[in-house]
Amino acid sequence: MRSSHLLRSGFPGCSAAMLMAALVASAAAEDGAKMRIGGAGWMGYGSIMASSHDTTGGVDIVGKPLISSGAQMLLEAQPGENLDIQAGLGVGGGHALAFSLQNAGGYSPFGVGPYVAQANFTYHFDRDEQGATFLRGGLFAYDYAKETQNLGLYLLRGPVYPGYLISGFETKHVLPVANTLGLQFHHGSGAFQQDVLFQVETEFYPFYDVSPVYLAAFQGEAFRIGGGVNFHHLIPVDPDLTTDTTRFRYIDTTNPAAPDTIQLSAKGIKLMANGMVDMKALFGGMESLGPEDLKIYGEVGVIGLGGLFRDDIHLGSTPKYKKNSKQAYDDLYGPISQRMPKMIGFNLPAFKLLDRLAVEVEHYGAPFQDDITKMTSHTSSNVQSVMPQDPDSAISADNIRWSVYASRVIQNHIKVSLQIASDHYRPGLFVGYGDNVPPSTQAVLYRPKDWYLMTKVAYFF
């Protein structure tokens, strides 16, 4: 097992992995089949070191320990020359922060849950030295920018409306554990690589819609340049949820005498461009540096083109329909300039003392509160919606995010990692025992001076 099989994937169901495990075992029983077993276990510890979150009413999240642990097993089989099968299960544990000291005693209960690490097949049409063509399906890992350790990966992480960003310490999106449910068709020819994905939505409401995605990249010895497009929620499993004509509405009251109503949708288009330059390969003569040292990488995204390239249902009577539609999207999610997250990263020279020492910085000017509670849970006090939590606040203090990540693998079986960051970390705010409302998933780091520290030690084989 590779060293970064260290975090749970986040998929709650296990039936798919159990079925795949049975298939793997059956395939391995055949004559000539190849099979490999791997596993990992880890413990993590961290704390929010500084936060501008409101401390009135007994709320204080600074300095409270954040503890996590888990373990997983992975089976890999190659029953034939062209077919690979993976199946894995794991269990992870952790806790949310306590929002109320009086109701929860300062800490939330430690929760434990199973997850799917891998459950997929890969059929290779060819895999020669010049390229590869394969079809993959199920629950699998997909990462189009492997240099990224925290910030970025805008094309596949997070919803379009609202354009929330996802980041944190060793999330499933940057590890080779299952983060995608669907199909992948890959074709590579020399330095050119391209993928077509059909990604099923499992993280954010409305669930189970299918998003077609296309990515392409040109990989040279010293650089990579790539891009992609995501037609988010293009194929809805239930159109009445994806374009909810009851709740997904914006009322423009610019003209109080004739307010105009615009029908919105969870559908949207994401664009992404990224690149990497390896300074070692450009200049040479740097044998004392590690393979990841002196790499510069970056990404820019466009999250949502609503009101520009798409016709929405217009419910008002004003004839200037497209102008009003554009204004609705600009009012709710900001103009296109505020829907464009940008990040840059640099791997500092670690001279083989560390495998990676990455510094990343991000700018994103979204004018709404960084709180995804509406997208992840449904309660009597929270109605799932594409409306931002706070669409009228000109919030700019959280436009800049930063992260420093370090890791080292020892004796091929132990990985030690550390991160200090001010990013989109959402620990969950536990409201107290006996309350049916799940932990709030708002970001708790508002300004660049707010930050946390996370560490992890893992053993893998």
Side-chain angles (χ1 to χ4, degrees):
M1 173 173 286
R2 293 172 58 184
S3 64
S4 48
H5 277 279
L6 303 176
L7 270 186
R8 64 192 185 98
S9 71
F11 289 98
C14 294
S15 58
M18 294 176 67
L19 175 60
M20 291 297 295
L23 293 175
V24 170
S26 175
E30 299 179 4
D31 292 339
K34 300 177 182 178
M35 183 174 177
R36 187 168 68 89
I37 300 176
W42 67 91
M43 291 194 66
Y45 179 88
S47 179
I48 295 176
M49 308 304 292
S51 174
S52 302
H53 190 275
D54 185 14
T55 59
T56 60
V59 178
D60 188 358
I61 62 176
V62 174
K64 290 187 173 60
L66 291 163
I67 302 171
S68 63
S69 61
Q72 68 179 43
M73 295 292 295
L74 179 67
L75 304 178
E76 296 179 331
Q78 188 178 351
E81 181 179 356
N82 297 327
L83 181 63
D84 296 330
I85 299 176
Q86 289 187 325
L89 290 172
V91 60
H95 64 87
L97 289 171
F99 186 81
S100 172
L101 302 184
Q102 291 83 1
N103 292 341
Y107 296 94
S108 67
F110 193 86
V112 178
Y115 65 92
V116 177
Q118 298 282 357
N120 61 78
F121 73 89
T122 303
Y123 184 83
H124 298 266
F125 298 96
D126 65 75
R127 38 181 165 186
D128 54 39
E129 294 182 358
Q130 299 301 317
T133 304
F134 62 78
L135 175 67
R136 177 171 292 149
L139 286 162
F140 56 89
Y142 187 84
D143 184 357
Y144 60 81
K146 296 188 182 301
E147 299 82 19
T148 295
Q149 298 303 304
N150 186 4
L151 308 174
L153 301 177
Y154 305 123
L155 193 67
L156 300 180
R157 288 201 293 188
V160 174
Y161 298 118
Y164 297 121
L165 302 186
I166 306 298
S167 58
F169 177 51
E170 291 191 345
T171 66
K172 65 178 184 178
H173 310 91
V174 300
L175 298 177
V177 293
N179 57 41
T180 299
L181 172 63
L183 293 172
Q184 174 193 2
F185 179 76
H186 173 85
H187 173 70
S189 179
F192 181 72
Q193 309 287 321
Q194 58 183 336
D195 288 294
V196 175
L197 300 176
F198 290 91
Q199 185 180 40
V200 179
E201 181 60 65
T202 59
E203 291 189 82
F204 298 101
Y205 181 87
F207 302 108
Y208 310 120
D209 289 355
V210 178
S211 301
V213 182
Y214 176 76
L215 298 103
F218 186 87
Q219 178 76 59
E221 182 179 357
F223 70 95
R224 185 195 73 250
I225 185 169
V229 56
N230 184 345
F231 299 96
H232 203 57
H233 290 280
L234 179 65
I235 307 173
V237 67
D238 187 342
D240 290 340
L241 299 180
T242 305
T243 305
D244 191 324
T245 57
T246 302
R247 293 183 289 162
F248 294 180
R249 289 183 177 184
Y250 174 76
I251 300 177
D252 185 354
T253 58
T254 304
N255 182 2
D260 198 19
T261 302
I262 306 298
Q263 176 65 49
L264 303 172
S265 171
K267 292 183 180 181
I269 298 175
K270 284 187 179 184
L271 301 176
M272 179 276 299
N274 70 349
M276 181 275 297
V277 176
D278 188 346
M279 305 300 290
K280 302 188 305 301
L282 282 180
F283 299 106
M286 300 183 183
E287 290 77 11
S288 63
L289 298 179
E292 299 301 322
D293 291 357
L294 293 186
K295 286 186 177 180
I296 303 173
Y297 53 96
E299 180 175 346
V300 59
V302 177
I303 302 181
L305 298 177
L308 292 181
F309 301 103
R310 189 182 89 224
D311 288 339
D312 297 291
I313 303 171
H314 180 58
L315 304 179
S317 57
T318 306
K320 294 182 179 180
Y321 155 64
K322 288 190 176 181
K323 178 179 179 181
N324 287 335
S325 178
K326 179 181 184 302
Q327 187 62 51
Y329 283 91
D330 289 353
D331 288 349
L332 285 172
Y333 313 113
I336 289 295
S337 62
Q338 293 183 333
R339 298 182 226 164
M340 295 180 64
K342 302 166 282 291
M343 68 81 63
I344 187 168
F346 179 58
N347 289 345
L348 297 173
F351 302 101
K352 301 181 181 178
L353 297 175
L354 297 172
D355 296 326
R356 191 184 303 268
L357 180 57
V359 177
E360 299 177 355
V361 180
E362 174 186 88
H363 179 270
Y364 184 45
F368 46 80
Q369 186 176 347
D370 195 1
D371 187 346
I372 63 173
T373 301
K374 283 187 177 181
M375 305 296 295
T376 56
S377 61
H378 179 76
T379 68
S380 60
S381 61
N382 174 51
V383 178
Q384 292 166 325
S385 174
V386 298
M387 303 295 183
Q389 285 284 71
D390 191 359
D392 298 323
S393 296
I395 301 172
S396 60
D398 63 352
N399 287 358
I400 301 295
R401 305 289 189 171
W402 58 268
S403 174
V404 179
Y405 175 85
S407 66
R408 172 69 187 270
V409 174
I410 303 170
Q411 296 296 316
N412 296 320
H413 289 288
I414 300 173
K415 181 179 178 181
V416 180
S417 54
L418 177 146
Q419 180 168 292
I420 61 173
S422 179
D423 57 18
H424 305 278
Y425 177 51
R426 302 177 177 92
L429 298 178
F430 182 68
V431 295
Y433 299 102
D435 197 325
N436 292 324
V437 180
S440 173
T441 48
Q442 68 189 86
V444 296
L445 307 173
Y446 298 154
R447 297 171 175 80
K449 67 179 182 180
D450 298 346
W451 63 287
Y452 66 81
L453 181 146
M454 296 289 174
T455 60
K456 183 186 294 180
V457 177
Y459 176 83
F460 61 93
F461 62 92

